[in-house]
PDB file of all heavy atoms in Angstrom:
ATOM      1  N   LEU A 796       3.551   4.866  55.376  1.00 93.00           N
ATOM      2  CA  LEU A 796       2.993   5.882  54.485  1.00 93.00           C
ATOM      3  C   LEU A 796       2.733   5.219  53.133  1.00 93.00           C
ATOM      4  O   LEU A 796       3.628   4.970  52.348  1.00 93.00           O
ATOM      5  CB  LEU A 796       3.981   7.049  54.337  1.00 93.00           C
ATOM      6  CG  LEU A 796       3.525   8.184  53.420  1.00 93.00           C
ATOM      7  CD1 LEU A 796       2.229   8.811  53.926  1.00 93.00           C
ATOM      8  CD2 LEU A 796       4.609   9.248  53.297  1.00 93.00           C
ATOM      9  N   GLN A 797       1.464   4.941  52.901  1.00 91.00           N
ATOM     10  CA  GLN A 797       1.126   4.154  51.709  1.00 91.00           C
ATOM     11  C   GLN A 797       1.102   4.985  50.447  1.00 91.00           C
ATOM     12  O   GLN A 797       1.461   4.520  49.382  1.00 91.00           O
ATOM     13  CB  GLN A 797      -0.263   3.531  51.905  1.00 91.00           C
ATOM     14  CG  GLN A 797      -0.247   2.345  52.811  1.00 91.00           C
ATOM     15  CD  GLN A 797      -0.028   1.080  52.015  1.00 91.00           C
ATOM     16  OE1 GLN A 797      -0.760   0.795  51.093  1.00 91.00           O
ATOM     17  NE2 GLN A 797       1.006   0.341  52.371  1.00 91.00           N
ATOM     18  N   ASN A 798       0.644   6.214  50.535  1.00 92.00           N
ATOM     19  CA  ASN A 798       0.450   6.993  49.312  1.00 92.00           C
ATOM     20  C   ASN A 798       0.518   8.480  49.617  1.00 92.00           C
ATOM     21  O   ASN A 798       0.082   8.929  50.665  1.00 92.00           O
ATOM     22  CB  ASN A 798      -0.917   6.647  48.713  1.00 92.00           C
ATOM     23  CG  ASN A 798      -1.092   7.271  47.361  1.00 92.00           C
ATOM     24  OD1 ASN A 798      -0.175   7.239  46.540  1.00 92.00           O
ATOM     25  ND2 ASN A 798      -2.238   7.872  47.108  1.00 92.00           N
ATOM     26  N   VAL A 799       1.081   9.228  48.663  1.00 94.00           N
ATOM     27  CA  VAL A 799       1.120  10.686  48.785  1.00 94.00           C
ATOM     28  C   VAL A 799       0.623  11.282  47.468  1.00 94.00           C
ATOM     29  O   VAL A 799       1.067  10.880  46.408  1.00 94.00           O
ATOM     30  CB  VAL A 799       2.563  11.194  49.036  1.00 94.00           C
ATOM     31  CG1 VAL A 799       2.556  12.713  49.237  1.00 94.00           C
ATOM     32  CG2 VAL A 799       3.182  10.493  50.227  1.00 94.00           C
ATOM     33  N   GLU A 800      -0.326  12.199  47.547  1.00 94.00           N
ATOM     34  CA  GLU A 800      -0.757  12.912  46.330  1.00 94.00           C
ATOM     35  C   GLU A 800      -0.558  14.395  46.565  1.00 94.00           C
ATOM     36  O   GLU A 800      -0.881  14.924  47.635  1.00 94.00           O
ATOM     37  CB  GLU A 800      -2.263  12.686  46.055  1.00 94.00           C
ATOM     38  CG  GLU A 800      -2.653  11.276  45.728  1.00 94.00           C
ATOM     39  CD  GLU A 800      -2.257  10.843  44.333  1.00 94.00           C
ATOM     40  OE1 GLU A 800      -1.856  11.699  43.526  1.00 94.00           O
ATOM     41  OE2 GLU A 800      -2.326   9.616  44.071  1.00 94.00           O
ATOM     42  N   LEU A 801      -0.048  15.079  45.551  1.00 95.00           N
ATOM     43  CA  LEU A 801       0.019  16.540  45.596  1.00 95.00           C
ATOM     44  C   LEU A 801      -1.310  17.044  45.090  1.00 95.00           C
ATOM     45  O   LEU A 801      -1.670  16.798  43.942  1.00 95.00           O
ATOM     46  CB  LEU A 801       1.158  17.016  44.684  1.00 95.00           C
ATOM     47  CG  LEU A 801       1.292  18.522  44.524  1.00 95.00           C
ATOM     48  CD1 LEU A 801       1.684  19.200  45.823  1.00 95.00           C
ATOM     49  CD2 LEU A 801       2.307  18.850  43.437  1.00 95.00           C
ATOM     50  N   PHE A 802      -2.094  17.715  45.976  1.00 94.00           N
ATOM     51  CA  PHE A 802      -3.416  18.111  45.482  1.00 94.00           C
ATOM     52  C   PHE A 802      -3.573  19.611  45.289  1.00 94.00           C
ATOM     53  O   PHE A 802      -4.558  20.069  44.745  1.00 94.00           O
ATOM     54  CB  PHE A 802      -4.535  17.536  46.374  1.00 94.00           C
ATOM     55  CG  PHE A 802      -4.634  18.138  47.756  1.00 94.00           C
ATOM     56  CD1 PHE A 802      -5.391  19.285  47.976  1.00 94.00           C
ATOM     57  CD2 PHE A 802      -3.968  17.564  48.821  1.00 94.00           C
ATOM     58  CE1 PHE A 802      -5.499  19.829  49.245  1.00 94.00           C
ATOM     59  CE2 PHE A 802      -4.079  18.111  50.086  1.00 94.00           C
ATOM     60  CZ  PHE A 802      -4.830  19.250  50.314  1.00 94.00           C
ATOM     61  N   ASP A 803      -2.587  20.403  45.721  1.00 94.00           N
ATOM     62  CA  ASP A 803      -2.745  21.830  45.473  1.00 94.00           C
ATOM     63  C   ASP A 803      -1.380  22.501  45.381  1.00 94.00           C
ATOM     64  O   ASP A 803      -0.467  22.194  46.154  1.00 94.00           O
ATOM     65  CB  ASP A 803      -3.583  22.475  46.589  1.00 94.00           C
ATOM     66  CG  ASP A 803      -3.954  23.912  46.236  1.00 94.00           C
ATOM     67  OD1 ASP A 803      -4.279  24.171  45.056  1.00 94.00           O
ATOM     68  OD2 ASP A 803      -3.883  24.773  47.130  1.00 94.00           O
ATOM     69  N   VAL A 804      -1.252  23.381  44.405  1.00 94.00           N
ATOM     70  CA  VAL A 804      -0.073  24.238  44.298  1.00 94.00           C
ATOM     71  C   VAL A 804      -0.612  25.655  44.258  1.00 94.00           C
ATOM     72  O   VAL A 804      -1.494  25.963  43.459  1.00 94.00           O
ATOM     73  CB  VAL A 804       0.714  23.942  43.011  1.00 94.00           C
ATOM     74  CG1 VAL A 804       1.941  24.828  42.925  1.00 94.00           C
ATOM     75  CG2 VAL A 804       1.110  22.488  42.962  1.00 94.00           C
ATOM     76  N   TYR A 805      -0.097  26.529  45.147  1.00 92.00           N
ATOM     77  CA  TYR A 805      -0.717  27.841  45.243  1.00 92.00           C
ATOM     78  C   TYR A 805       0.330  28.911  45.469  1.00 92.00           C
ATOM     79  O   TYR A 805       1.262  28.755  46.258  1.00 92.00           O
ATOM     80  CB  TYR A 805      -1.736  27.828  46.407  1.00 92.00           C
ATOM     81  CG  TYR A 805      -2.399  29.157  46.639  1.00 92.00           C
ATOM     82  CD1 TYR A 805      -3.380  29.632  45.743  1.00 92.00           C
ATOM     83  CD2 TYR A 805      -2.054  29.952  47.730  1.00 92.00           C
ATOM     84  CE1 TYR A 805      -3.983  30.862  45.963  1.00 92.00           C
ATOM     85  CE2 TYR A 805      -2.669  31.182  47.936  1.00 92.00           C
ATOM     86  CZ  TYR A 805      -3.629  31.642  47.044  1.00 92.00           C
ATOM     87  OH  TYR A 805      -4.222  32.848  47.244  1.00 92.00           O
ATOM     88  N   THR A 806       0.208  30.014  44.734  1.00 91.00           N
ATOM     89  CA  THR A 806       1.002  31.208  45.016  1.00 91.00           C
ATOM     90  C   THR A 806       0.016  32.356  45.026  1.00 91.00           C
ATOM     91  O   THR A 806      -1.067  32.264  44.449  1.00 91.00           O
ATOM     92  CB  THR A 806       2.041  31.488  43.915  1.00 91.00           C
ATOM     93  OG1 THR A 806       1.364  31.548  42.667  1.00 91.00           O
ATOM     94  CG2 THR A 806       3.122  30.436  43.863  1.00 91.00           C
ATOM     95  N   GLY A 807       0.401  33.459  45.665  1.00 87.00           N
ATOM     96  CA  GLY A 807      -0.495  34.620  45.652  1.00 87.00           C
ATOM     97  C   GLY A 807      -0.857  35.043  47.054  1.00 87.00           C
ATOM     98  O   GLY A 807      -0.048  34.883  47.988  1.00 87.00           O
ATOM     99  N   LYS A 808      -2.080  35.533  47.193  1.00 86.00           N
ATOM    100  CA  LYS A 808      -2.553  36.112  48.456  1.00 86.00           C
ATOM    101  C   LYS A 808      -2.197  35.221  49.645  1.00 86.00           C
ATOM    102  O   LYS A 808      -2.345  34.006  49.575  1.00 86.00           O
ATOM    103  CB  LYS A 808      -4.086  36.282  48.396  1.00 86.00           C
ATOM    104  CG  LYS A 808      -4.543  37.637  48.905  1.00 86.00           C
ATOM    105  CD  LYS A 808      -6.024  37.808  48.669  1.00 86.00           C
ATOM    106  CE  LYS A 808      -6.779  37.651  49.998  1.00 86.00           C
ATOM    107  NZ  LYS A 808      -8.228  37.655  49.815  1.00 86.00           N
ATOM    108  N   SER A 809      -1.701  35.824  50.689  1.00 87.00           N
ATOM    109  CA  SER A 809      -1.349  35.165  51.946  1.00 87.00           C
ATOM    110  C   SER A 809      -0.078  34.316  51.833  1.00 87.00           C
ATOM    111  O   SER A 809       0.348  33.728  52.816  1.00 87.00           O
ATOM    112  CB  SER A 809      -2.499  34.312  52.505  1.00 87.00           C
ATOM    113  OG  SER A 809      -2.498  33.036  51.905  1.00 87.00           O
ATOM    114  N   ILE A 810       0.500  34.229  50.655  1.00 90.00           N
ATOM    115  CA  ILE A 810       1.783  33.531  50.534  1.00 90.00           C
ATOM    116  C   ILE A 810       2.838  34.580  50.201  1.00 90.00           C
ATOM    117  O   ILE A 810       2.649  35.372  49.263  1.00 90.00           O
ATOM    118  CB  ILE A 810       1.755  32.491  49.398  1.00 90.00           C
ATOM    119  CG1 ILE A 810       0.616  31.484  49.585  1.00 90.00           C
ATOM    120  CG2 ILE A 810       3.095  31.760  49.292  1.00 90.00           C
ATOM    121  CD1 ILE A 810       0.757  30.580  50.799  1.00 90.00           C
ATOM    122  N   PRO A 811       3.931  34.603  50.950  1.00 91.00           N
ATOM    123  CA  PRO A 811       4.950  35.637  50.707  1.00 91.00           C
ATOM    124  C   PRO A 811       5.510  35.539  49.290  1.00 91.00           C
ATOM    125  O   PRO A 811       5.566  34.459  48.700  1.00 91.00           O
ATOM    126  CB  PRO A 811       6.042  35.311  51.735  1.00 91.00           C
ATOM    127  CG  PRO A 811       5.430  34.386  52.716  1.00 91.00           C
ATOM    128  CD  PRO A 811       4.293  33.712  52.059  1.00 91.00           C
ATOM    129  N   GLU A 812       5.928  36.686  48.779  1.00 90.00           N
ATOM    130  CA  GLU A 812       6.573  36.772  47.458  1.00 90.00           C
ATOM    131  C   GLU A 812       7.734  35.785  47.399  1.00 90.00           C
ATOM    132  O   GLU A 812       8.481  35.647  48.367  1.00 90.00           O
ATOM    133  CB  GLU A 812       7.083  38.208  47.283  1.00 90.00           C
ATOM    134  CG  GLU A 812       7.732  38.492  45.950  1.00 90.00           C
ATOM    135  CD  GLU A 812       6.718  39.075  44.964  1.00 90.00           C
ATOM    136  OE1 GLU A 812       5.500  39.091  45.270  1.00 90.00           O
ATOM    137  OE2 GLU A 812       7.159  39.496  43.914  1.00 90.00           O
ATOM    138  N   GLY A 813       7.879  35.112  46.269  1.00 91.00           N
ATOM    139  CA  GLY A 813       9.027  34.203  46.112  1.00 91.00           C
ATOM    140  C   GLY A 813       8.819  32.848  46.752  1.00 91.00           C
ATOM    141  O   GLY A 813       9.742  32.043  46.835  1.00 91.00           O
ATOM    142  N   ARG A 814       7.612  32.595  47.207  1.00 93.00           N
ATOM    143  CA  ARG A 814       7.348  31.298  47.814  1.00 93.00           C
ATOM    144  C   ARG A 814       6.048  30.720  47.254  1.00 93.00           C
ATOM    145  O   ARG A 814       5.271  31.418  46.620  1.00 93.00           O
ATOM    146  CB  ARG A 814       7.280  31.436  49.339  1.00 93.00           C
ATOM    147  CG  ARG A 814       8.626  31.885  49.926  1.00 93.00           C
ATOM    148  CD  ARG A 814       8.557  32.072  51.426  1.00 93.00           C
ATOM    149  NE  ARG A 814       8.637  30.831  52.192  1.00 93.00           N
ATOM    150  CZ  ARG A 814       9.786  30.201  52.476  1.00 93.00           C
ATOM    151  NH1 ARG A 814      10.938  30.666  52.028  1.00 93.00           N
ATOM    152  NH2 ARG A 814       9.773  29.101  53.195  1.00 93.00           N
TER     153      ARG A 814
END
Side-chain angles (χ1 to χ4, degrees):
Chain A
L796 180 60
Q797 283 270 305
N798 188 44
V799 183
E800 295 286 349
L801 175 66
F802 70 87
D803 189 40
V804 181
Y805 177 73
T806 54
K808 226 173 105 186
S809 84
I810 304 294
E812 182 94 351
R814 296 178 79 81

